[in-house]
Amino acid sequence: MKTDMRYIPFLSLALLLGCASTDRPASETPTVSTVPTVSRAFDVPALVGMNADEIARPLVSQSVRPDHDQTPRESATGGTEALYTYWRDTTALEVSYDPATLHVNSFFIKTKSGHTADYTSLLKLANVSKYDKRLTIEPIASVENPQQFTGVKLVPAVQ
């Protein structure tokens, strides 16, 4: 095999480039900050369509502490409501329902810490997408600081 002498400088350059490292220096690599994952505490979409007693069965069997407030009170819409509150660790799911019919009026997801700047973390705790058409999503702002949210009210769509 005979090599033409005029190609030797190019051959050397090709060999040099072939051996060069393709790794980027550490200063050029983008840094990725890890966002803590929010694991779901409740599966609200799975509860849509159930009455207040039916909701209690799957939740209580999932190591959830229930609190039941059977004191009927007048709701904002003029009807009567009572509450079931289910706690999983530091997250609460309040289920508002009509005590006469057991029809669920709404769900309210909140945490013990009380306030959050981003209500989407509360939606993740409830396993709800903000695009879910089965629920109307109403973030509830804090009275003291309207930039903070105390919870999210989830109202099942009329079927």
Side-chain angles (χ1 to χ4, degrees):
M1 177 171 144
K2 197 171 187 180
T3 308
D4 193 356
M5 293 303 277
R6 60 187 164 160
Y7 294 114
I8 289 182
F10 294 114
L11 187 60
S12 300
L13 183 62
L15 183 62
L16 183 64
L17 290 175
C19 293
S21 174
T22 59
D23 293 338
R24 291 183 178 176
S27 62
E28 289 182 23
T29 55
T31 58
V32 177
S33 62
T34 57
V35 176
T37 58
V38 177
S39 62
R40 101 177 166 199
F42 298 98
D43 190 3
V44 172
L47 304 175
V48 172
M50 294 182 179
N51 70 32
D53 284 347
E54 292 169 338
I55 286 173
R57 287 184 204 113
L59 290 180
V60 172
S61 67
Q62 297 174 8
S63 70
V64 174
R65 297 182 325 271
D67 295 327
H68 189 188
D69 179 4
Q70 293 181 324
T71 309
R73 63 180 65 74
E74 190 171 329
S75 69
T77 59
T80 303
E81 73 175 351
L83 294 176
Y84 273 127
T85 303
Y86 300 96
W87 285 95
R88 174 171 281 143
D89 298 324
T90 60
T91 305
L93 179 67
E94 291 180 353
V95 180
S96 166
Y97 67 96
D98 181 335
T101 64
L102 299 178
H103 178 271
V104 173
N105 301 321
S106 66
F107 301 94
F108 186 75
I109 189 89
K110 66 180 183 177
T111 62
K112 252 189 184 163
S113 61
H115 294 86
T116 182
D118 182 14
Y119 74 89
T120 58
S121 62
L122 295 169
L123 292 178
K124 289 178 184 174
L125 287 169
N127 194 33
V128 172
S129 164
K130 60 182 173 181
Y131 305 108
D132 195 331
K133 300 294 182 202
R134 296 172 290 178
L135 297 162
T136 301
I137 299 169
E138 300 175 26
I140 307 299
S142 168
V143 175
E144 298 89 30
N145 183 357
Q147 309 302 341
Q148 298 278 313
F149 299 96
T150 58
V152 177
K153 184 177 181 180
L154 304 166
V155 181
V158 179
Q159 297 181 21

